[in-house]
């Protein structure tokens, strides 16, 4: 009778592989797989640590230099929107700063590093500012500790912010706690603190070019449902500074310039906390992306020309 449902190997005998052979083969396959994954992971880590490669910048749906929609006939808004800053092209510079673990550095060493980075930012922008016929003033960096009574000249909210810019004395004040709370390893903490400093330097640029003065004269925005939004002008100041800070960071060549990993982090809405003065997390991430992807074109940061929804 012909058997059904059975398939025999040659010579009508089913040959089974020796268990030891199967084990060796499995180990070899496993080692190869782990090796491939390891190489891919190493390549990915190296790619993230490399200088960033921004995505292609998309053109803004508004025209830089023109007042935001709904404010076209308001001289105060026109003054804020038309700034020589928007036509500037900052230089790319290579400079250094003392290398240290900012999470554990003493106050003097940390302040020295931050001042060195700020001096690099000055080198990025001074030719563009003076080339536009404006006076340039370098920025100063100071650490402050409200609990010790070492505050800033401006100092209304210094107890609750990691850093602030004071236009009265052209100084960026950084809380010593800001370094201690920086996330990640030493290099990531350095990059995070550089990003914070760059945002505050954006305010320095606004001060030098008259944007802060013009913004201070702005009336409240229309808000929702006809209710005035008194924070809207401030959100435009802050989103513009976020964009300018990101742009400024890109003008630093390695090793102080942003890495791919830092760029991806700073353009991720999950890296931001929403508040009335800075806008939604997604808004902050988008303006950071505009700065990183601007290729040095400051007109990308024309927050006072954007519709209200773009800074909400």
């Amino acid at each position: 009778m012909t058997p059904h449902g059975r398939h025999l190997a040659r010579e009508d005998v089913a040959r089974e592989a020796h268990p030891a052979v199967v084990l060796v083969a499995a180990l070899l396959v496993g080692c190869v797989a782990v090796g491939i994954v390891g190489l891919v992971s190493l390549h990915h880590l190296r790619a993230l640590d490399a200088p960033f490669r921004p995505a292609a910048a998309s053109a803004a749906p508004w025209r830089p230099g023109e007042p935001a929609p709904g404010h076209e006939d308001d001289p105060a808004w026109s003054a804020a929107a038309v700034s020589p800053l928007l036509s500037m092209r900052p230089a790319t510079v290579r400079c250094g700063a003392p290398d240290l673990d900012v999470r554990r550095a003493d106050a003097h060493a940390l302040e020295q590093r931050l001042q060195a980075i700020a001096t690099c930012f000055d080198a990025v922008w001074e030719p563009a500012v003076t080339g536009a016929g404006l006076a340039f003033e370098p920025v100063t960096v100071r650490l402050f500790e409200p609990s010790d009574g070492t505050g800033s000249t401006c100092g209304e909210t210094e107890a609750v912010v990691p850093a602030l810019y004071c236009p009265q004395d052209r100084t960026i004040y950084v809380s010593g706690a800001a370094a201690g709370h920086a996330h990640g390893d030493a290099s990531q903490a350095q990059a995070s603190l550089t990003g914070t400093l760059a945002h505050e330097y954006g305010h320095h640029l606004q001060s030098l070019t008259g944007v802060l003065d013009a913004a201070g004269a702005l009336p409240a925005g229309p808000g929702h449902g006809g209710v005035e939004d008194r924070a809207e002008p401030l959100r435009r100041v802050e989103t513009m500074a976020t964009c300018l800070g990101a742009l400024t960071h890109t003008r630093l060549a390695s090793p102080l310039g942003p890495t791919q990993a830092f760029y991806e982090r700073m353009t991720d809405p999950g890296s931001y906390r929403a508040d009335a003065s800075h806008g939604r997390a997604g808004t902050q991430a988008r303006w950071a992306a505009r700065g990183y992807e601007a290729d040095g074109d400051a007109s990308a940061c024309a927050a006072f020309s954007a519709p209200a929804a773009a800074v909400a």
Side-chain angles (χ1 to χ4, degrees):
M1 296 177 62
T2 304
H4 294 276
R6 295 199 325 158
H7 300 278
L8 302 178
R10 290 181 61 187
E11 300 178 352
D12 296 333
V13 177
R15 297 179 181 270
E16 296 183 0
H18 192 282
V21 174
V22 174
L23 177 60
V24 171
L27 288 173
L28 287 173
V29 171
C31 288
V32 170
V34 170
I36 291 173
V37 172
L39 287 172
V40 171
S41 298
L42 181 60
H43 174 74
H44 181 62
L45 288 173
R46 285 176 175 169
L48 290 176
D49 195 45
F52 86 110
R53 297 185 179 217
S58 56
W62 57 85
R63 297 183 62 180
E66 295 185 356
H71 301 288
E72 293 87 350
D73 298 326
D74 189 326
W77 278 90
S78 296
V82 180
S83 168
L85 178 57
L86 300 178
S87 61
M88 294 181 188
R89 297 284 299 195
T92 298
V93 302
R94 183 180 297 278
C95 58
D99 188 22
L100 76 160
D101 187 342
V102 298
R103 302 167 302 173
R104 299 178 177 86
D106 63 66
H108 178 68
L110 179 58
E111 189 171 277
Q112 280 191 319
R113 176 178 170 82
L114 294 175
Q115 183 62 67
I117 296 172
T119 300
C120 292
F121 292 161
D122 286 338
V124 167
W125 282 98
E126 182 173 8
V129 172
T130 57
L134 300 175
F136 182 84
E137 292 183 47
V139 74
T140 300
V141 179
R142 292 283 181 266
L143 291 187
F144 74 88
E145 294 294 347
S147 60
D148 297 336
T150 54
S152 73
T153 301
C154 293
E156 299 97 357
T157 58
E158 58 192 34
V160 295
V161 296
L164 61 89
Y165 174 73
C166 186
Q168 283 92 322
D169 58 5
R170 305 281 202 236
T171 298
I172 296 172
Y173 290 89
V174 181
S175 166
H181 293 159
H183 297 292
D185 60 22
S187 63
Q188 291 169 333
Q190 284 182 351
S192 178
L193 209 52
T194 300
T196 297
L197 193 68
H199 172 92
E200 299 306 328
Y201 195 87
H203 291 311
H204 181 57
L205 293 171
Q206 292 172 326
S207 179
L208 291 177
T209 57
V211 173
L212 289 184
D213 289 339
L218 292 178
H224 300 286
V227 178
E228 286 189 338
D229 181 359
R230 298 192 180 280
E232 184 192 333
L234 179 56
R235 281 199 303 276
R236 292 181 186 275
V237 168
E238 293 296 342
T239 51
M240 185 181 189
T242 294
C243 180
L244 289 169
L247 185 154
T248 300
H249 198 182
T250 68
R251 299 299 93 187
L252 297 185
S254 182
L256 292 180
T259 62
Q260 181 66 19
F262 189 73
Y263 160 68
E264 292 179 6
R265 174 184 163 194
M266 297 308 292
T267 54
D268 177 6
S271 298
Y272 297 88
R273 182 179 61 186
D275 64 49
S277 61
H278 292 78
R280 300 188 182 104
T283 297
Q284 297 175 60
R286 283 191 293 274
W287 282 93
R290 291 186 64 79
Y292 281 114
E293 297 161 9
D295 193 26
D297 182 0
S299 68
C301 302
F304 289 93
S305 297
V311 297

